[in-house]
Short mmCIF file of all heavy atoms in Angstrom, two decimals:
data_model
loop_
_atom_site.label_atom_id
_atom_site.label_comp_id
_atom_site.label_asym_id
_atom_site.label_seq_id
_atom_site.Cartn_x
_atom_site.Cartn_y
_atom_site.Cartn_z
N ALA J 20 68.91 50.59 65.43
CA ALA J 20 67.99 51.30 66.35
C ALA J 20 67.06 50.33 67.04
O ALA J 20 65.85 50.57 67.13
CB ALA J 20 67.16 52.35 65.58
N PRO J 58 69.10 56.49 52.16
CA PRO J 58 68.78 57.89 51.75
C PRO J 58 67.41 58.33 52.29
O PRO J 58 66.44 57.55 52.26
CB PRO J 58 68.74 57.74 50.22
CG PRO J 58 69.56 56.55 49.88
CD PRO J 58 69.36 55.63 51.03
N ALA J 80 81.23 52.05 59.39
CA ALA J 80 80.45 53.21 58.85
C ALA J 80 81.37 54.42 58.64
O ALA J 80 81.34 55.04 57.55
CB ALA J 80 79.31 53.52 59.75
N LEU J 82 84.66 54.55 58.18
CA LEU J 82 85.64 54.34 57.12
C LEU J 82 84.93 54.26 55.79
O LEU J 82 85.50 54.75 54.77
CB LEU J 82 86.44 53.10 57.41
CG LEU J 82 87.31 53.23 58.74
CD1 LEU J 82 88.06 51.93 58.99
CD2 LEU J 82 88.29 54.34 58.60
N ALA J 91 89.82 65.53 49.70
CA ALA J 91 90.87 64.99 50.59
C ALA J 91 90.99 65.95 51.79
O ALA J 91 91.78 66.89 51.73
CB ALA J 91 92.17 64.85 49.87
N LEU J 98 79.85 62.16 63.38
CA LEU J 98 78.70 62.49 64.25
C LEU J 98 77.64 61.44 64.12
O LEU J 98 77.16 61.13 63.01
CB LEU J 98 78.12 63.87 63.86
CG LEU J 98 76.91 64.36 64.66
CD1 LEU J 98 77.25 64.46 66.15
CD2 LEU J 98 76.38 65.65 64.11
N HIS J 120 96.93 67.62 68.59
CA HIS J 120 96.56 66.17 68.88
C HIS J 120 96.14 65.54 67.54
O HIS J 120 96.05 66.19 66.52
CB HIS J 120 95.41 66.15 69.86
CG HIS J 120 95.71 66.77 71.17
ND1 HIS J 120 96.37 66.12 72.21
CD2 HIS J 120 95.40 68.00 71.65
CE1 HIS J 120 96.47 66.93 73.23
NE2 HIS J 120 95.93 68.05 72.94
N ALA J 128 77.86 63.52 79.83
CA ALA J 128 77.96 64.12 81.19
C ALA J 128 78.72 63.17 82.13
O ALA J 128 79.35 63.58 83.09
CB ALA J 128 76.56 64.32 81.73
N VAL J 137 86.33 65.00 65.87
CA VAL J 137 87.13 65.27 64.69
C VAL J 137 88.44 64.51 64.78
O VAL J 137 88.99 64.36 65.87
CB VAL J 137 87.38 66.81 64.49
CG1 VAL J 137 86.11 67.60 64.26
CG2 VAL J 137 88.18 67.37 65.66
N ASP J 149 91.92 46.61 58.00
CA ASP J 149 91.47 46.18 56.65
C ASP J 149 89.96 46.03 56.68
O ASP J 149 89.29 46.12 57.71
CB ASP J 149 92.15 44.96 56.20
CG ASP J 149 91.85 43.71 57.02
OD1 ASP J 149 90.81 43.66 57.66
OD2 ASP J 149 92.72 42.83 57.11
N GLY J 155 82.26 45.24 62.88
CA GLY J 155 82.07 44.76 64.25
C GLY J 155 83.16 45.29 65.23
O GLY J 155 83.08 45.01 66.40
N ARG J 193 63.34 71.35 76.48
CA ARG J 193 63.48 72.55 75.59
C ARG J 193 62.92 73.76 76.20
O ARG J 193 61.99 73.89 76.84
CB ARG J 193 62.87 72.28 74.24
CG ARG J 193 63.59 71.22 73.46
CD ARG J 193 63.17 71.14 72.02
NE ARG J 193 63.88 72.23 71.33
CZ ARG J 193 63.27 73.14 70.63
NH1 ARG J 193 61.99 73.16 70.46
NH2 ARG J 193 63.94 74.10 70.02
#
Side-chain angles (χ1 to χ4, degrees):
L82 296 176
L98 178 60
H120 300 278
V137 296
D149 64 28
R193 293 193 80 235

